[in-house]
Amino acid sequence: MDNRANNKANKKRFELPVWAAYIINLGLFIAFISLFGVLLSSGALPGFITKVAMLIGIQVILAVSLNVSTGYLGQLPLGHAGFMAVGAYASAIFMTHTSIPAGIAFPIGIVIAAAVAGLFGVLIGIPALRLKGDYLAIITLGFGEIIRVVLLNIDSVLGFKLTNGAAGLQNIPKTTTFVNAWLMVGLTCFLIHTFIKSRHGRAVLSIRENEIAAEACGINITYYKTLAFSMSAAFAGAAGALYAGYLGILNPSSFGFMKSIEILVMVVLGGMGSMVGSIAAAIALTAAPELLRAFDNYRMIAYSLLLIATMIFKPSGLMGRYDFSMKRIIENAINGDIFRRIRKSRAFDKAEGEGEA
């Protein structure tokens, strides 16, 4: 028995190479986009499903990007809609004034939107991130409202039409499709995942766990806070560019305080620090109101009750800090860890039953 146990202990465990895991994930993602794209183009699914799928992709980017500053950095900003607005207007102004073909201009517009929103993230983050908790929430909320009011009134200051004020920016080319929206979702998740797995990401996570200890270890707190905050803002700006290309019209009222709360609810519900949780919550909370239009007026009430219930019964969110890993699933399946855990669970339940008897 001892030899058999030693042989099992000494047996080399299978480890999937990281590059192979990335290839598998890429293959599955391409298969998903291709299959869903074929179903949409063939008319097998209703037309409104295409619009809902694009909107879900935009919301996923917003939730995952906010999770960088809320879940990974451990701060509580409430101005995410402001960065989305900056990116949306930057891209829309470029798209409506350029003579470049829309197919080429659209990715350029996304880059411009991300760059401008990221710059605003740096400018706002440097003073705001010196504060913590409720104070940070209040000041970022203020900055978000300032951005909305500026977009609403800047034309009267400049003396010419730039954002078109309350009338809204119109005639924006509708360039957002299911494919490019979800390609941006994949790129966003990949870049954030690789960032968090890098040494810079580990520095950000250390700030979340204990800011004083991280600073004592030589980590530049201000630099990494600003880096994570500006990255979060940049991806929100990219989502804003997709939103502008999805609607074809922009109005500052779409980027108010409640939009920031809506995104925050997705992050909190899914689990702060869990990318897969943010994705799942964004899909659920975006699809439900669209599929249940008759109850759309009660959406924010449902959001509020859901957030309260989550804080009472599952404060860590539905997924906590769990993140999906195809590499871990394949390794556990090949090494038999899944079946071993099931056998241990059954043995534990059996022992519990005998003890109660």
Side-chain angles (χ1 to χ4, degrees), residues 61-74:
I61 295 173
L62 289 169
V64 171
S65 62
L66 181 60
N67 199 28
V68 173
S69 54
T70 303
Y72 297 131
L73 183 60

Side-chain angles (χ1 to χ4, degrees), residues 278-300:
S278 297
I279 294 172
I283 292 173
L285 295 180
T286 305
E290 296 296 329
L291 298 176
L292 301 172
R293 277 289 183 179
F295 304 97
D296 187 55
N297 293 333
Y298 304 100
R299 181 180 61 179
M300 295 315 298

Side-chain angles (χ1 to χ4, degrees), residues 58-83 136 140 188 192 204 228-237 239 257-269 271-275 278:
I58 295 169
Q59 297 285 62
V60 166
I61 295 173
L62 289 169
V64 171
S65 62
L66 181 60
N67 199 28
V68 173
S69 54
T70 303
Y72 297 131
L73 183 60
Q75 305 300 314
L76 186 62
L78 289 179
H80 212 56
F83 299 123
L136 175 62
T140 50
T188 300
I192 291 176
V204 170
F229 190 75
S230 61
M231 176 181 288
S232 175
F235 285 117
F257 165 67
M258 293 311 298
K259 184 63 178 178
S260 295
I261 294 297
E262 180 182 340
I263 304 167
L264 180 63
V265 168
M266 295 175 186
V267 177
V268 174
L269 178 64
M272 292 187 289
S274 172
M275 182 181 292
S278 297

Side-chain angles (χ1 to χ4, degrees), residues 5 61 81 100 109 149 153 182 185 207 210 213 218 226 240 282 303 328 346 353:
I61 295 173
I100 303 174
V149 173
N153 298 285
W182 279 89
V185 170
I207 295 173
N210 193 316
T226 308
Y303 279 177
R328 183 170 59 243
R346 288 178 177 175

Side-chain angles (χ1 to χ4, degrees), residues 13-335:
R13 290 175 56 83
F14 171 78
E15 290 188 7
L16 185 69
V18 176
W19 60 266
Y22 280 124
I23 290 175
I24 293 172
N25 288 329
L26 178 62
L28 292 173
F29 183 69
I30 292 175
F32 161 74
I33 290 181
S34 301
L35 177 61
F36 212 92
V38 169
L39 290 174
L40 292 174
S41 60
S42 64
L45 296 175
F48 82 97
I49 295 293
T50 305
K51 295 182 179 179
V52 173
M54 289 190 292
L55 188 58
I56 288 174
I58 295 169
Q59 297 285 62
V60 166
I61 295 173
L62 289 169
V64 171
S65 62
L66 181 60
N67 199 28
V68 173
S69 54
T70 303
Y72 297 131
L73 183 60
Q75 305 300 314
L76 186 62
L78 289 179
H80 212 56
F83 299 123
M84 180 187 178
V86 168
Y89 272 89
S91 174
I93 291 170
F94 169 75
M95 293 292 293
T96 53
H97 290 84
T98 186
S99 58
I100 303 174
I104 301 174
F106 181 65
I108 299 175
I110 291 180
V111 173
I112 292 173
V116 174
L119 177 61
F120 270 75
V122 173
L123 296 177
I124 294 173
I126 290 176
L129 291 170
R130 296 181 182 276
L131 304 175
K132 300 179 183 178
D134 298 341
Y135 303 103
L136 175 62
I138 292 170
I139 194 172
T140 50
L141 171 62
F143 277 124
E145 287 299 298
I146 288 171
I147 290 172
R148 184 184 64 82
V149 173
V150 167
L151 291 173
L152 193 62
N153 298 285
I154 194 172
D155 287 1
S156 58
V157 176
L158 296 176
F160 60 89
K161 289 187 176 181
L162 181 65
T163 65
N164 212 25
L169 195 60
Q170 303 177 13
N171 299 321
I172 304 169
K174 292 188 176 183
T175 48
T176 300
T177 64
F178 169 80
V179 174
N180 59 33
W182 279 89
L183 283 176
M184 192 63 203
V185 170
L187 180 62
T188 300
C189 293
F190 171 74
L191 291 176
I192 291 176
H193 173 78
T194 51
F195 170 76
I196 294 301
K197 295 298 181 183
S198 69
R199 68 183 184 89
H200 301 290
R202 290 194 294 272
V204 170
L205 293 175
S206 70
I207 295 173
R208 178 190 69 185
E209 298 302 328
N210 193 316
E211 187 172 326
I212 296 175
E215 189 172 17
C217 292
I219 294 174
N220 190 332
I221 302 295
T222 302
Y223 170 77
Y224 281 108
K225 276 188 174 183
T226 308
L227 175 63
F229 190 75
S230 61
M231 176 181 288
S232 175
F235 285 117
L242 291 172
Y243 186 74
Y246 163 73
L247 283 184
I249 183 171
L250 289 177
N251 193 295
S253 62
S254 301
F255 307 101
F257 165 67
M258 293 311 298
K259 184 63 178 178
S260 295
I261 294 297
E262 180 182 340
I263 304 167
L264 180 63
V265 168
M266 295 175 186
V267 177
V268 174
L269 178 64
M272 292 187 289
S274 172
M275 182 181 292
V276 68
S278 297
I279 294 172
I283 292 173
L285 295 180
T286 305
E290 296 296 329
L291 298 176
L292 301 172
R293 277 289 183 179
F295 304 97
D296 187 55
N297 293 333
Y298 304 100
R299 181 180 61 179
M300 295 315 298
I301 296 177
Y303 279 177
S304 303
L305 293 175
L306 188 61
L307 188 59
I308 292 170
T310 303
M311 290 297 96
I312 294 174
F313 300 105
K314 194 71 165 65
S316 60
L318 297 178
M319 294 291 183
R321 289 183 180 176
Y322 169 80
D323 261 333
F324 173 82
S325 173
M326 181 61 67
K327 180 177 183 292
R328 183 170 59 243
I329 291 174
I330 294 174
E331 289 176 348
N332 289 341
I334 294 177
N335 292 320

